[in-house]
């Protein structure tokens, strides 16, 4: 199937009525929907999903939405929620959008959601680590992450300061340490290997 032409200039921003309709569709199909798996109202979760969908369509980037969906699925899997639960929710979003939004947007909506479902079907069981032996500064990045997860911001900061003083370009430090470890922290959190407190601490410490 060919990707439909972009309709971003007129894509509706009806988050509230759409979120309510998506919620109604989900609850009609399943009295206890598992959107985002937690106890937060399905309405808020539906609103967030549609927000990401509309942004992806507005910039014509399918990967923006499929990456977001993969991220959600990783977290759901860590809580033992099957992929079919998210697929059902995505189908509910597609149904609600077709019911509420103008017909000229239907093909685009269906494309984005069908692409995200295809990604879920083909997604590997385990996301690989972002810290790899073949990447520059692998050893330093691994030590930096270890210090962060131990709550030892001082040691992590000393590691970076010494690296910069030895002449390592700042761009390299940002890409090969800060970016790589933040991605890895996100992966660990998605897979329920660390707590949200760990994630917040590491992010705040890295920002500092």
């Amino acid at each position: 199937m060919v990707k439909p032409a972009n309709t971003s200039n007129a894509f509706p921003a009806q988050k509230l009525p759409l979120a309510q309709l998506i919620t109604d569709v989900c609850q009609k199909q399943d009295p206890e929907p598992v959107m985002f798996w937690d106890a937060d109202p399905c309405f808020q979760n539906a609103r967030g999903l549609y927000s990401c969908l509309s942004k992806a369509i507005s910039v014509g980037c399918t990967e923006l939405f499929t990456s977001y969906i993969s991220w959600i699925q990783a977290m759901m899997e860590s809580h033992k929620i099957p992929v079919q639960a998210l697929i059902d929710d995505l189908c509910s979003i597609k149904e609600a959008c077709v019911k509420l939004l103008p017909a000229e947007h239907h093909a685009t909506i269906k494309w984005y959601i069908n692409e995200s479902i295809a990604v879920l079907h083909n997604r590997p069981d385990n996301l690989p680590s972002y810290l790899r032996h073949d990447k520059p500064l692998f050893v330093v990045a691994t030590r930096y992450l270890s210090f962060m997860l131990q709550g030892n911001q001082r040691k992590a900061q000393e590691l970076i300061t010494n690296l910069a003083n030895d002449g390592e370009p700042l761009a390299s430090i940002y890409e090969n340490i800060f970016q790589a470890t933040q991605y890895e922290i996100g992966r660990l959190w998605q897979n329920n290997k660390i707590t949200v407190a760990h994630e917040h601490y590491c992010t705040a410490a890295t920002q500092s």
Side-chain angles (χ1 to χ4, degrees), residues 100-208:
L100 189 60
L101 299 184
E104 64 263 28
H105 301 294
H106 294 177
T108 301
I109 291 165
K110 290 177 180 178
W111 165 271
Y112 276 75
I113 291 181
N114 288 342
E115 285 294 298
S116 67
I117 291 174
V119 167
L120 290 177
H121 281 309
N122 296 314
R123 186 174 170 274
D125 292 335
N126 295 304
L127 293 176
S129 173
Y130 289 97
L131 301 183
R132 303 203 309 266
H133 291 275
D134 60 334
K135 292 293 186 179
L137 302 181
F138 164 76
V139 174
V140 181
T142 301
R143 290 183 63 200
Y144 177 83
L145 178 60
S146 177
F147 286 141
M148 283 295 187
L149 293 178
Q150 294 169 20
N152 196 335
Q153 183 178 352
R154 182 181 62 82
K155 282 287 188 181
Q157 187 171 356
E158 287 179 358
L159 189 68
I160 298 302
T161 301
N162 292 337
L163 190 64
N165 289 339
D166 287 341
E168 186 68 32
L170 291 179
S172 174
I173 293 174
Y174 269 81
E175 179 180 356
N176 297 309
I177 298 181
F178 293 158
Q179 178 176 285
T181 55
Q182 284 301 118
Y183 283 167
E184 180 65 7
I185 288 165
R187 185 187 74 87
L188 293 172
W189 179 56
Q190 289 173 5
N191 291 323
N192 207 28
K193 301 297 184 183
I194 61 174
T195 67
V196 68
H198 280 110
E199 189 276 332
H200 287 345
Y201 173 82
C202 293
T203 298
T206 295
Q207 287 175 338
S208 72

Side-chain angles (χ1 to χ4, degrees), residues 62-63 65-71 73 77 83 86-87 90 111-125 127:
T62 311
E63 292 77 13
F65 188 62
T66 57
S67 296
Y68 179 62
I69 294 302
S70 294
W71 177 74
Q73 180 55 23
E77 285 178 342
V83 66
L86 182 54
I87 291 174
L90 287 168
W111 165 271
Y112 276 75
I113 291 181
N114 288 342
E115 285 294 298
S116 67
I117 291 174
V119 167
L120 290 177
H121 281 309
N122 296 314
R123 186 174 170 274
D125 292 335
L127 293 176

